[in-house]
Amino acid sequence: MEQLVIEAKNRSETGKKAARTIRAQGRIPAVVYDEAGKATSITVDSVQFNKVWRSITSTTLVTLDVEGKKYDAFIRDTEYNIIKDQVLHADFFAVSNKKPVVRSYKIQYSGTPVGVLKGGFMVKHVPEVKVKALPKDLPVRIVIDVSPINIGDVFRVKDMGLGDKVTVLTNGEDSLVSVAPAR
């Protein structure tokens, strides 16, 4: 996946009145937090931000370009007005790519198990797994192909195969999916 870039500008004014003025100019007030907890107030273009925000997951790393200074960052949180369909505020978390981070992933499934086609029932056991990796090595999402699973077979956490750079913290013997016989 290509690296997504969001251009930003520093801002000095804060508060409700300043935020309304920023939004009227087609920008979104935002804050960048670094690993030490230091906060920097910025603004981002609302069209560019929405294009990126609507196409990523919570584990997608974006490049935040603040007036020429580039950060690798996650979009940590957004304040969203559902009535106006508008992002009101965004929080970014800048990372150094030197310290591993821990993230939880909801498991997504693709395909239809062979056992289901033979009359069995797919049973989902563990809904999410925890992984640890450098931010640049984190998978965007975890999708498991369940099509080869037959009746009586079990797909375990250790069978995911996420690569050498990702450490799975969930117990490897935990079952993710199994196919039970029809009763």
Side-chain angles (χ1 to χ4, degrees), residues 22 26 38 48 55 58 68 78 93 96 125 134 150 172 177:
I22 290 167
K38 181 179 171 255
Q48 184 184 32
S55 67
S58 62
T78 55
F93 180 64
S96 65
H125 300 279
L134 291 174
N150 209 336
V177 176

Side-chain angles (χ1 to χ4, degrees), residues 5 14 25 38 43 49 57-58 63 86 97 102 104 106 117 120 124 134 159 161 169-170 174 177-179:
V5 178
T14 58
Q25 297 168 351
K38 181 179 171 255
T43 65
F49 178 82
T57 67
S58 62
T63 299
Q86 176 183 26
N97 273 321
V102 175
S104 291
K106 292 215 180 289
L117 298 174
K124 299 175 185 174
L134 291 174
D159 300 329
L169 300 177
T170 305
D174 287 354
V177 176
S178 63
V179 176

Side-chain angles (χ1 to χ4, degrees), residues 46-124:
S46 61
V47 173
Q48 184 184 32
F49 178 82
N50 281 312
K51 183 179 176 186
V52 171
W53 178 61
R54 293 181 190 274
S55 67
I56 64 171
T57 67
S58 62
T59 56
T60 304
L61 208 56
V62 298
T63 299
L64 189 62
D65 185 353
V66 183
E67 297 179 3
K69 189 174 181 182
K70 295 185 190 281
Y71 300 95
D72 284 336
F74 293 108
I75 298 175
R76 177 182 270 177
D77 193 24
T78 55
E79 183 181 342
Y80 181 73
N81 184 333
I82 194 167
I83 296 170
K84 293 183 179 179
D85 188 31
Q86 176 183 26
V87 175
L88 302 175
H89 187 274
D91 288 344
F92 294 91
F93 180 64
V95 294
S96 65
N97 273 321
K98 293 182 177 125
K99 277 185 6 184
V101 295
V102 175
R103 292 287 187 263
S104 291
Y105 286 85
K106 292 215 180 289
I107 303 295
Q108 298 176 1
Y109 305 96
S110 69
T112 303
V114 172
V116 170
L117 298 174
K118 294 178 181 176
F121 296 96
M122 184 168 101
V123 181
K124 299 175 185 174

Side-chain angles (χ1 to χ4, degrees), residues 16-27:
K16 287 183 181 181
K17 185 176 180 184
R20 282 191 200 107
T21 305
I22 290 167
R23 287 187 205 105
Q25 297 168 351
R27 300 190 67 77

